[in-house]
Amino acid sequence: MIDEDPFLIVKSQVEESLVNASNLFESWKRIQQTVSSPKNQELLWTADELNSTIEAIEQDIEDLQEALQAAQNNPSQFQLTAKELNSRKKFLDNSRNTIHSIRKTLANPPNKKSHNNASGSYQTARQNDNSLFIESEQQQQMMIMQDQDQHLDAMGGTLVNLKEIAGTMNREIDDQVILLDDLGDQVDRSEGKLKNAMRRVTTILKKEEESKSGYCICCLIIILIVLLVLVIMM
């Protein structure tokens, strides 16, 4: 299995972080237009969260820049076309411009709108925040679903391999069972032949023992007759 390009993985993370930063930035602008003091706790907290998010994005962008520089120095090693390299460079430039624009606005907050339009602007900002939040959640859900689909595909491939292995093992077991059955039949036949041979040997031995006993008796009778004749003649 081919590993996924690390640049694309970090790029996906940066895109997600930029969406989060944009949502925080819109919230900060709304709060900045509605509160009376620049030291408002909600305003300060939102600014801190936004700055932390931006710093993390900038670090990721620096890492991506180093990876892009290495690929530009030796594109054949990384198997990247000039079009792909330009696309990655454009992404980094756009990301930097977005971060720069947010930092510039944070450093120089816009003037507040007139009081008459504050209420309407607040409602509009709230609606925009809700829309951005819903869009962000939908994007995150889509990414989660894509990751789940990839995991399911990987699991499906693993299950197919396991099924093939199980089928191969089952066939091997069937072959072994057939071989064992054949061996058992051969053993049974050999055992029958051995029993028959043992019966024949036993019969032959009995016959030989009987014939030898008869010979001995005849010899003894002959010897007895000879002794009787000798005694009578004496």
Side-chain angles (χ1 to χ4, degrees):
M1 182 181 294
I2 300 176
D3 293 336
E4 188 174 356
D5 190 340
F7 186 96
L8 298 180
I9 296 175
V10 180
K11 177 184 175 183
S12 176
Q13 296 173 354
V14 171
E15 289 174 336
E16 183 178 353
S17 298
L18 284 172
V19 171
N20 187 31
S22 297
N23 293 337
L24 288 171
F25 184 51
E26 292 298 326
S27 297
W28 178 86
K29 289 192 297 183
R30 172 184 57 79
I31 298 170
Q32 191 267 339
Q33 289 293 322
T34 56
V35 299
S36 59
S37 172
K39 295 184 179 180
N40 177 273
Q41 291 297 318
E42 184 179 6
L43 181 65
L44 293 176
W45 180 87
T46 305
D48 288 340
E49 286 293 315
L50 182 55
N51 282 318
S52 297
T53 303
I54 290 175
E55 289 176 0
I57 295 174
E58 288 176 334
Q59 183 61 51
D60 289 336
I61 290 176
E62 290 301 321
D63 294 339
L64 290 177
Q65 181 62 47
E66 292 179 3
L68 177 62
Q69 187 64 42
Q72 288 176 331
N73 292 336
N74 192 359
S76 60
Q77 178 181 355
F78 296 92
Q79 299 180 353
L80 293 174
T81 63
K83 183 178 179 180
E84 290 172 332
L85 291 173
N86 290 333
S87 175
R88 296 185 178 191
K89 183 177 183 300
K90 183 177 180 181
F91 169 77
L92 293 178
D93 291 340
N94 291 337
S95 299
R96 288 194 183 95
N97 291 335
T98 301
I99 297 301
H100 177 73
S101 176
I102 294 175
R103 284 198 178 279
K104 183 178 180 181
T105 304
L106 289 175
N108 300 285
N111 295 326
K112 295 183 179 181
K113 297 180 181 179
S114 63
H115 180 72
N116 293 332
N117 296 330
S119 178
S121 300
Y122 177 78
Q123 293 297 330
T124 302
R126 291 286 295 180
Q127 292 176 357
N128 292 335
D129 287 345
N130 291 336
S131 298
L132 290 171
F133 176 77
I134 293 173
E135 183 180 356
S136 176
E137 288 295 320
Q138 290 176 343
Q139 290 178 352
Q140 291 181 359
Q141 290 296 326
M142 288 295 295
M143 294 178 64
I144 292 173
M145 291 176 64
Q146 290 176 356
D147 291 339
Q148 290 177 345
D149 290 340
Q150 292 176 355
H151 289 308
L152 288 175
D153 291 340
M155 291 177 62
T158 302
L159 291 176
V160 170
N161 293 334
L162 291 175
K163 182 179 179 181
E164 293 177 353
I165 294 173
T168 302
M169 293 177 63
N170 187 46
R171 289 191 295 270
E172 290 291 335
I173 291 173
D174 291 339
D175 293 340
Q176 293 297 325
V177 170
I178 293 173
L179 292 174
L180 290 174
D181 290 339
D182 293 340
L183 180 61
D185 293 339
Q186 292 178 1
V187 171
D188 292 339
R189 289 194 295 269
S190 298
E191 185 178 0
K193 292 179 181 179
L194 181 61
K195 289 181 179 179
N196 291 331
M198 290 297 296
R199 283 196 297 270
R200 292 178 183 177
V201 171
T202 302
T203 301
I204 293 171
L205 290 175
K206 287 181 179 180
K207 289 181 178 179
E208 289 183 355
E209 288 178 357
E210 292 176 355
S211 61
K212 288 181 179 180
S213 300
Y215 291 148
C216 292
I217 293 171
C218 292
C219 292
L220 291 174
I221 292 172
I222 293 171
I223 293 171
L224 181 60
I225 293 172
V226 173
L227 290 174
L228 290 173
V229 170
L230 291 174
V231 171
I232 294 171
M233 291 180 63
M234 293 178 63

